[in-house]
Amino acid sequence: MARILVVDDDVLILAALSRILQAEGYEVVTHSDPVVAAREQGFDVVLTDFMMPYLNGVELLSALREKNPRAVRLMLTAAADFKTASEAVNRGEVFRLLGKPWAMSELTSSIRQAFEHHRLVAANERLTREVAEKNAELLAINEGLERRVIERTTGLLDGLISALDYRDTETQWHSRRVSLYARRLAQEIGLSGPALDVVEQGALLHDIGKIGVRDSILLKPGPLTPDEWVEMKQHPEFGYRMLAKMPYLHEAALIVLQHQERWDGKGYPLGLKGEEIVIGARIFCLVDTLDAITSDRPYRKGRPMSVARDEVRRCAGTQFDPMLAEAFLGLPETEWARIRREVELMEEAESHRWTGGKLNAQGEPVPARASGA
């Protein structure tokens, strides 16, 4: 049953209101002492007089609101002036202000509207809660689906990177090294969270567009002709077009597009300059040089870290972002050695999975499917 609290220091008025409201079908709780009434709980609507000893109506409603925040508040007053009404509305959050003596139709109509308002607010809160719960369920489902899509797409891209690394054996495992180098340098300049992941992804995928370059150009042992260089220089755009339609890789795709740009504007394919180049591409440019200098090539052995540091120092402000060069030079050489060793361990683990640890007569890994294992 709908429950209403009625408070008035005049016991005759209180009795009259009680009879009227009980006749309307409400459960009525009455108090002539507002101090006692302030301790009541569990009602849907409160109707109180304004002028009462100890606590006036506004003070009572304020006290009741703490324990009964959803109760709808109405006030009776014989002093129906603007000041009273203003105080009632502003301090007491009164739903309706009624005058004394009251008109029966106005009183009963206002009480019905108050209960209807209470019901609607409760229903709205319930529906809002149910919608929030359903949205949370849908969000969890969508996050799960998105995670599966990302995992599967990442697995596919990792396979493509491995295919590219095996195709271009000169730079095998290069992509994995520069991705971790890039993440470490990004950490050093204060990037964190998703921004770090973007830098690592972009560096890992930087050469994915070389899949679209002909073998005769990609694997050519000698210098490229001018026409061949034109095709080779398209690989950042090839890579960007491969990745840009994947929403979660859009920012990484920009690094792929810009990874051959230079701080001084002399790079390609867009000739961007300075901070026009995304931070991930500027980071990649530097760590790519680090890896190129310190890694073995068929035509030379990898050179010491000191050579790479000298090159970064020399090219700061031309090829490299000077801020990034300073951050790189501030890191100990042991950091880069640690990352290189981490990738070497990854390479050894993958080789062991592939070969079962077996070698042929020439000391080369034997695929497990051909070894009789």
Side-chain angles (χ1 to χ4, degrees), residues 225-361:
T225 67
D227 287 343
E228 289 170 336
W229 264 116
V230 169
E231 182 172 338
M232 177 64 83
K233 288 184 175 182
Q234 291 179 317
H235 80 271
E237 295 173 273
F238 291 161
Y240 176 76
R241 289 201 293 269
M242 289 174 65
L243 303 175
K245 292 182 180 180
M246 303 178 195
Y248 82 98
L249 286 176
H250 178 72
E251 291 180 84
L254 291 175
I255 297 174
V256 172
L257 177 64
Q258 299 177 18
H259 77 273
Q260 291 290 351
E261 302 288 353
R262 291 171 45 118
W263 181 257
D264 59 10
K266 295 181 180 179
Y268 65 88
L270 303 174
L272 301 177
K273 183 177 181 180
E275 293 187 1
E276 294 174 348
I277 307 165
V278 296
I279 186 64
R282 283 182 269 149
I283 290 171
F284 170 83
C285 181
L286 191 151
V287 299
D288 183 51
T289 297
L290 162 67
D291 191 62
I293 291 173
T294 57
S295 297
D296 291 341
R297 293 289 186 266
Y299 48 86
R300 64 157 175 81
K301 295 290 289 181
R303 287 168 285 181
M305 177 62 67
S306 59
V307 176
R309 289 172 63 86
D310 288 344
E311 180 70 4
V312 169
R313 189 178 291 109
R314 183 180 70 83
C315 295
T318 54
Q319 185 177 354
F320 309 126
D321 180 339
M323 179 270 292
L324 293 175
E326 182 180 357
F328 169 79
L329 294 170
L331 281 165
E333 294 183 14
T334 53
E335 278 293 276
W336 310 112
R338 175 187 62 78
I339 293 170
R340 177 173 283 276
R341 181 56 184 157
E342 183 180 332
V343 177
E344 287 172 353
L345 292 173
M346 290 167 54
E347 184 178 4
E348 290 171 9
E350 182 165 314
S351 176
H352 185 80
R353 284 196 300 272
W354 173 243
T355 66
K358 300 181 184 299
L359 303 177
N360 62 18

Side-chain angles (χ1 to χ4, degrees), residues 10-29:
D10 188 324
V11 294
L12 295 178
I13 293 177
L14 195 62
L17 289 170
S18 180
R19 287 193 301 272
I20 293 169
L21 298 175
Q22 285 176 346
E24 291 289 318
Y26 303 117
E27 178 184 349
V28 183
V29 179

